[in-house]
Amino acid sequence: DLRFVFAAFKINSHLESIGDSAKGVARLVLEMEKSYDEKLLTDVQLLRMYELADTMIEDNVRALRADDTSQARLVFQKDAEMDAINKKAIGIVAGHMTGAQAEIIQLINLITITRRLERVGDLSANIAEEIIFYVEAKVLKHEKAKIPGS
């Protein structure tokens, strides 16, 4: 099926970008001089972002294996949550910067990590769109207003 071939090419590109984001996060973590404050990580909801990113990828794998667009559509709700967490995290980290001049670089790196995780969410949503295109022959990019969080 030609739609499958086109979708597979695009999905491959998105997966490569997800890998690049993961590599960037890993690099920042390895370069850390000290651990982040546990309360800050909780406030920023970093673990929740990671869990969302992980389950979005799992949802897409299940959707592609089963040709199940309802599974792929779950990704859009999770992407909207990732966007909201990312927006909130910026304000939280900015608040910490005023009292922690010595930790500015580390705090900027935390924002970079949240943005990369949010990007994984965006890429996962793109993969979900490709799965829906492959299975239903629907191009969702033209229907962005109907997708929650877009």
Side-chain angles (χ1 to χ4, degrees), residues 7 16-17 22 25 29 41 50 62 70 111 129-130 138 146:
E16 185 176 341
S17 295
V25 169
V29 169
L41 293 179
Y50 167 77
R62 279 193 297 276
S70 65
I111 286 295
E129 288 177 2
E130 295 304 329
K138 284 179 104 173
K146 295 180 185 176

Side-chain angles (χ1 to χ4, degrees), residues 15 18 52-62 120 124:
L15 288 172
I18 287 172
L52 285 168
D54 189 45
T55 60
M56 290 169 84
I57 293 168
E58 290 173 3
D59 290 343
N60 278 327
V61 169
R62 279 193 297 276
V120 169
S124 293

Side-chain angles (χ1 to χ4, degrees), residues 38-138:
E38 195 67 35
K39 182 179 178 339
L40 174 61
L41 293 179
T42 300
D43 291 347
V44 170
Q45 295 183 292
L46 193 64
L47 181 59
R48 178 64 182 152
M49 289 189 83
Y50 167 77
E51 291 168 347
L52 285 168
D54 189 45
T55 60
M56 290 169 84
I57 293 168
E58 290 173 3
D59 290 343
N60 278 327
V61 169
R62 279 193 297 276
L64 187 59
R65 283 186 176 156
D67 292 344
D68 181 0
T69 59
S70 65
Q71 189 75 40
R73 283 182 166 82
L74 295 175
V75 172
F76 301 130
Q77 296 165 341
K78 292 176 182 179
D79 183 45
E81 185 178 347
M82 290 273 274
D83 293 344
I85 292 171
N86 183 54
K87 277 185 182 177
K88 185 178 171 188
I90 293 168
I92 291 168
V93 173
H96 278 270
M97 285 183 177
T98 58
Q101 296 293 353
E103 298 175 2
I104 295 287
I105 299 298
Q106 189 172 8
L107 292 169
I108 290 171
N109 286 345
L110 180 57
I111 286 295
T112 301
I113 290 169
T114 62
R115 287 191 170 197
R116 288 189 179 181
L117 286 171
E118 192 273 333
R119 181 68 183 137
V120 169
D122 291 342
L123 292 163
S124 293
N126 291 345
I127 291 170
E129 288 177 2
E130 295 304 329
I131 293 168
I132 292 166
F133 166 72
Y134 155 61
V135 174
E136 296 180 0
K138 284 179 104 173

